[in-house]
Amino acid sequence: MEKFSDSLGTQLNIAARWMRITLEKELAGTGITPSMWMIIMALGEKNNQGQTELGKMVNLDNATITRLLDKLQEMSLLVRNQDKEDRRAQKVSLTRKGQKMYHELNAIGKRVNDQASKNLSLKDIKKLLEWLEVINLNLNSNHAVRL
């Protein structure tokens, strides 16, 4: 029987929790939560995307993404406009204020990643990211719906 502390799932979960705790500390005072941070980072990478596509990119369900987008819109960090090609869908874009926030939050994310990977080489980091992609694909292919 596998030891709990030697389990891949245990170690990934612990690492993810430490990453989130560290990110929360870095975000303190910004009014941004880690989930909001993910949305802003995703829009900074690919602005003006559909709400459904954005939800998939950050792995959040429709209700959660809608609630977070409402909050970010109230903060004037993003806008939602009707998709010209599909009137039932909405496109989400960062405002100027949101783009400025993206650059600030990107620097915070870099600090957290740098702290987490400080004893790893660039080659190690690249390999770890490849392995995590494989793990995510393995698990995602076993589920009809996203977690």
Side-chain angles (χ1 to χ4, degrees):
M1 183 169 169
E2 183 177 40
K3 261 179 71 176
F4 172 75
S5 58
D6 291 338
S7 164
L8 176 62
T10 298
Q11 293 304 316
L12 285 173
N13 187 44
I14 291 170
R17 290 185 74 200
W18 277 119
M19 291 288 288
R20 185 175 183 94
I21 289 166
T22 305
L23 182 60
E24 285 172 346
K25 286 179 184 176
E26 290 286 329
L27 291 173
T30 66
I32 301 295
T33 65
S35 295
M36 291 174 172
W37 176 85
M38 285 192 324
I39 291 169
I40 294 169
M41 291 298 96
L43 287 171
E45 189 174 301
K46 183 181 178 198
N47 206 19
N48 195 38
Q49 60 178 302
Q51 185 170 320
T52 302
E53 179 185 5
L54 180 60
K56 288 178 183 175
M57 189 173 183
V58 297
N59 197 28
L60 293 172
D61 62 61
N62 288 335
T64 303
I65 194 86
T66 298
R67 182 177 45 80
L68 290 167
L69 292 177
D70 287 345
K71 287 181 181 178
L72 290 167
Q73 192 164 11
E74 287 172 17
M75 297 168 76
S76 302
L77 296 174
L78 60 82
V79 292
R80 289 181 276 194
N81 295 302
Q82 190 174 51
D83 188 331
K84 292 175 180 147
E85 295 174 14
D86 181 356
R87 292 186 296 168
R88 298 168 296 161
Q90 292 188 334
K91 292 282 191 173
V92 183
S93 300
L94 291 174
T95 61
R96 282 189 190 178
K97 183 179 176 183
Q99 290 171 355
K100 184 177 184 239
M101 180 64 80
Y102 163 73
H103 291 292
E104 292 171 23
L105 297 177
N106 193 34
I108 289 172
K110 183 174 178 354
R111 281 197 307 270
V112 172
N113 281 334
D114 287 349
Q115 182 179 349
S117 62
K118 68 181 173 185
N119 295 317
L120 299 173
S121 69
L122 290 176
K123 183 179 175 183
D124 290 339
I125 294 168
K126 183 178 178 187
K127 194 63 181 170
L128 176 59
L129 291 172
E130 289 172 7
W131 291 335
L132 290 171
E133 182 178 7
V134 169
I135 290 168
N136 287 327
L137 288 171
N138 289 344
L139 295 174
N140 190 34
S141 68
N142 291 328
H143 296 282
V145 294
R146 288 179 292 115
L147 300 176

